[in-house]
């Protein structure tokens, strides 16, 4: 215990990091600092084996590198423990004599259940549970229509979201007295093993400073975002999603910078980027109001859709061996780098659900296992948008043609040649249609596993039957 400035007694506080691995613009950190006074703050992260073991190797490496960078951000005093957070956090709080545990409020179904149980455990020891802030610009559940109901369609939600507005970035706390508490003895080896996994391409540089640098670089070309963001061969997106996933940057920080842009061209690109942030917030809001939509069809009217059981074609999809170049390029990029261009995510998702007739959670689970930006709200509702069971009003007829999509968005063929070396000998757009060239299969690239035209007709027939 320590005395505060008014002579009252203060006690240490514990900040439990989850999707907020940063030090700037961090309301929960400010709250922990104020609660502790001069008694000191411990900052902790818990590696939950239940989640860690489900992660693919690239996703584990990204988290490990981010934790190492976060430790540096907190002056080498990030406490990392391994185990079930519902027991680890109360134990750690008792160990350091904390009077309060501080978190950023969680709204995912899993996070809400975990936090409720943890708070009950802490209450048994008279330790306060304090939720401050949100991973979003506006917390899920706040934006509602005139009747007080949640929005079910994106466009009116985005309009109301902008009209509501969001707070300015939180101030950085005055000098922190960080407690020096040991991490688990197994942590160093666990992180070392994850980071040792070799990759085809380097991951983004981890940490808050690297994220802010990437953001500043993107702002210099944000005016081109509206046209370049759909071209997978070009560095036309922000690639900030892996940082946003772990809360290394807060969206409120980005929105404040976008509001300060001057010229008209930059503002047009900034508005498009802001809309992408709004999609992220919309899907979080939908999940908050309908937790079952994480793994079940949002549109119950399509609950009678006929799907096929996974077979060898699904394995071909997972490994990038379907014989459709743009699909295979995307799936290989995912496995090798833990990331996939958003346009290609839609193409590969459409192929699984509408060419192979597989229920979308099969694909959503695969993506979440491997994506370093895998977020259950954005990922799973994005899959439902493509599959036709989500928030889009009438999407049943949208079936992406993987060949024409490739020709339109990768006209040079550079993206396909980068990730499918068996087609590197085909120049230009020829890489998208190897069957049209005598030497198209010279390097053992597989032939298409299905006929797209036939499967499109089959998909539409199944949707029609389900909606009757």
């Amino acid at each position: 215990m320590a005395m505060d400035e008014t002579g009252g007694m203060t006690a240490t506080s514990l900040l439990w990091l989850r999707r907020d691995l940063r030090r700037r613009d961090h309301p929960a950190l400010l709250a922990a600092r104020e609660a502790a006074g001069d008694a000191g703050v411990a900052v902790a992260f818990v590696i939950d084996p239940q989640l860690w073991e489900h992660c693919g190797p690239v996703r584990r490496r990204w988290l490990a590198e981010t934790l190492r960078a976060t430790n540096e951000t907190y002056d080498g005093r990030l406490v990392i423990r391994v185990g079930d957070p519902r027991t680890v956090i109360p134990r750690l709080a008792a160990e350091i004599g904390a009077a309060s545990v501080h978190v950023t409020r969680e709204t995912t179904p899993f996070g809400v259940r975990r936090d409720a149980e943890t708070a009950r455990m802490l209450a048994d020891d008279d330790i306060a549970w304090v939720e401050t802030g949100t991973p979003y610009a506006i917390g899920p559940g706040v934006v509602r229509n005139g009747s007080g109901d949640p929005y079910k369609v994106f466009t009116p939600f985005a309009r109301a979201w902008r009209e509501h507005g969001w707070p300015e970035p939180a101030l950085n706390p005055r000098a922190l007295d960080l407690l020096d508490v040991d991490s688990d003895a197994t942590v160093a080896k666990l992180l070392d093993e994850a980071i040792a996994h070799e990759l085809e391409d380097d991951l983004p540089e981890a940490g808050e400073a690297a994220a802010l640098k990437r953001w500043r670089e993107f702002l210099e070309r944000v005016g081109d975002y509206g046209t370049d963001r759909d071209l997978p061969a070009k560095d036309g997106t922000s690639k900030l999603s892996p940082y946003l996933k772990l809360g290394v940057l807060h969206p409120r920080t980005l929105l404040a910078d976008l509001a300060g842009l001057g010229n008209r061209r930059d503002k047009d690109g900034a508005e498009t980027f802001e809309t992408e942030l709004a999609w992220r917030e919309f899907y979080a809001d939908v999940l908050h109001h309908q937790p079952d939509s994480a793994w079940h069809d949002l549109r119950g009217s399509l609950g009678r859709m006929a799907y096929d059981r996974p077979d060898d074609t699904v394995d071909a999809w997972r490994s990038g061996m379907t014989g459709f170049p743009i699909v295979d390029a995307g799936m290989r990029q995912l496995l090798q780098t833990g990331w996939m261009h958003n346009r290609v995510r839609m193409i590969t998702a459409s192929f699984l659900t509408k060419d192979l007739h597989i229920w979308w959670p099969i694909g959503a689970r695969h993506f979440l296992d491997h994506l370093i930006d895998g977020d259950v709200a954005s990922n799973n509702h994005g899959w439902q948008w493509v599959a036709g069971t989500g928030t889009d009003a009438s999407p049943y007829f949208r079936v992406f043609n993987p060949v024409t999509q490739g020709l339109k968005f990768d006209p040079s063929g550079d993206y396909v040649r980068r990730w499918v070396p068996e087609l590197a000998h085909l120049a230009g757009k020829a890489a998208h249609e190897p069957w049209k060239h005598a030497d198209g299969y010279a390097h053992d690239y597989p032939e298409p596993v299905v006929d797209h035209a036939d499967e499109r007709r089959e998909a539409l027939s199944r949707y029609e039957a389900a909606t009757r």
Side-chain angles (χ1 to χ4, degrees):
M1 303 286 282
M3 303 285 287
D4 65 16
E5 295 173 354
T6 65
M9 302 300 291
T10 61
T12 58
S13 61
L14 172 61
L15 173 66
W16 176 19
L17 300 178
R18 292 89 68 83
R19 289 196 292 163
D20 49 358
L21 297 178
R22 64 184 184 279
R23 189 160 174 168
R24 298 177 180 84
D25 192 2
H26 203 312
L29 173 59
L30 279 169
R33 170 68 185 83
E34 291 305 309
D38 296 328
V41 177
V43 182
F45 184 90
V46 181
I47 297 176
D48 185 344
Q50 180 183 349
L51 302 179
W52 181 264
E53 291 165 9
H54 277 289
C55 292
V58 183
R59 190 173 164 101
R60 280 198 297 268
R61 177 170 169 175
W62 174 243
L63 176 56
E65 290 187 358
T66 302
L67 288 173
R68 286 271 167 87
T70 306
N71 184 45
E72 294 179 11
T73 298
Y74 281 97
D75 308 325
R77 293 188 174 180
L78 176 65
V79 186
I80 305 177
R81 299 285 172 94
V82 180
D84 186 337
R86 295 170 296 182
T87 55
V88 170
I89 288 298
R91 228 177 13 244
L92 177 58
E95 177 186 330
I96 65 173
S100 55
V101 171
H102 297 259
V103 297
T104 299
R105 183 172 71 95
E106 187 54 84
T107 55
T108 65
F110 175 85
V112 168
R113 291 193 303 270
R114 176 202 60 204
D115 286 1
E117 293 176 31
T118 308
R120 283 195 294 270
M121 295 280 288
L122 290 166
D124 291 340
D125 293 328
D126 293 324
I127 299 172
W129 173 265
V130 184
E131 297 181 336
T132 309
T134 168
Y136 303 94
I138 304 173
V142 173
V143 177
R144 295 175 181 264
N145 64 23
S147 302
D149 297 322
Y151 285 95
K152 297 181 179 180
V153 179
F154 172 71
T155 300
F157 170 88
R159 187 183 305 115
W161 176 77
R162 286 187 169 99
E163 291 172 354
H164 182 282
W166 36 82
E168 290 294 315
L171 297 174
N172 295 328
R174 58 190 174 89
L176 274 173
D177 181 11
L178 293 169
L179 300 181
D180 194 0
V181 183
D182 290 337
S183 295
D184 281 348
T186 58
V187 165
K189 181 180 179 183
L190 194 70
L191 299 185
D192 284 344
E193 289 176 348
I195 292 171
H197 176 74
E198 295 186 4
L199 301 173
E200 180 77 14
D201 265 17
D202 290 334
L203 287 172
E205 185 180 354
E208 193 170 0
L212 288 167
K213 180 174 181 287
R214 174 74 190 181
W215 171 237
R216 288 191 294 268
E217 291 171 349
F218 175 70
L219 282 178
E220 294 177 1
R221 52 184 175 81
V222 70
D224 298 321
Y225 178 70
T227 54
D228 290 353
R229 67 193 180 102
D230 270 327
L231 307 175
K234 193 166 187 174
D235 187 20
T237 66
S238 71
K239 289 189 178 174
L240 291 172
S241 55
Y243 299 113
L244 288 169
K245 155 62 184 170
L246 295 178
V248 180
L249 287 178
H250 196 286
R252 181 177 48 228
T253 304
L254 311 185
L255 289 162
D257 288 344
L258 292 174
L261 293 178
N263 69 65
R264 179 69 256 171
R265 183 168 176 276
D266 283 351
K267 284 185 175 181
D268 288 344
E271 185 174 339
T272 303
F273 184 78
E274 185 180 280
T275 298
E276 293 304 307
L277 292 177
W279 272 108
R280 180 175 181 269
E281 307 247 334
F282 173 59
Y283 283 148
D285 193 73
V286 171
L287 182 60
H288 169 70
H289 290 291
Q290 302 187 68
D292 287 348
S293 68
W295 293 106
H296 295 87
D297 294 330
L298 190 63
R299 294 178 66 203
S301 60
L302 290 176
R304 296 181 298 278
M305 266 290 294
Y307 294 103
D308 293 345
R309 296 177 64 85
D311 57 15
D312 291 346
T313 61
V314 177
D315 292 335
W317 175 82
R318 288 192 180 108
S319 59
M321 295 292 285
T322 68
F324 288 88
I326 192 74
V327 173
D328 294 340
M331 298 307 294
R332 296 186 193 188
Q333 183 184 29
L334 171 64
L335 292 176
Q336 294 175 35
T337 71
W339 191 82
M340 189 194 301
H341 189 278
N342 187 62
R343 167 59 56 174
V344 187
R345 294 186 198 201
M346 292 190 285
I347 297 169
T348 55
S350 179
F351 187 83
L352 182 73
T353 57
K354 294 178 179 176
D355 284 69
L356 302 185
H357 316 297
I358 300 296
W359 193 35
W360 63 266
I362 302 295
R365 179 74 267 167
H366 181 74
F367 272 30
L368 281 181
D369 286 347
H370 295 281
L371 283 170
I372 61 175
D373 63 359
D375 171 270
V376 67
S378 294
N379 180 71
N380 292 24
H381 288 107
W383 269 89
Q384 292 207 53
W385 185 90
V386 173
T389 67
T391 57
D392 203 356
S394 55
Y396 68 90
F397 52 80
R398 185 193 300 113
V399 181
F400 284 67
N401 184 317
V403 179
T404 57
Q405 287 279 311
L407 292 170
K408 180 177 180 180
F409 295 108
D410 182 34
S412 66
D414 289 343
Y415 177 74
V416 162
R417 280 188 293 276
R418 167 68 182 86
W419 296 107
V420 187
E422 305 98 302
L423 301 178
H425 64 291
L426 297 176
K429 65 181 183 180
H432 292 285
E433 300 175 293
W435 47 85
K436 287 187 174 181
H437 305 275
D439 61 345
Y441 294 101
H443 300 284
D444 297 324
Y445 183 65
E447 295 185 6
V449 294
V450 295
D451 181 286
H452 172 72
D454 289 346
E455 302 309 333
R456 179 182 182 277
R457 285 190 290 270
E458 175 65 16
L460 293 179
S461 174
R462 294 188 187 197
Y463 273 86
E464 184 181 354
T467 55
R468 272 203 297 268

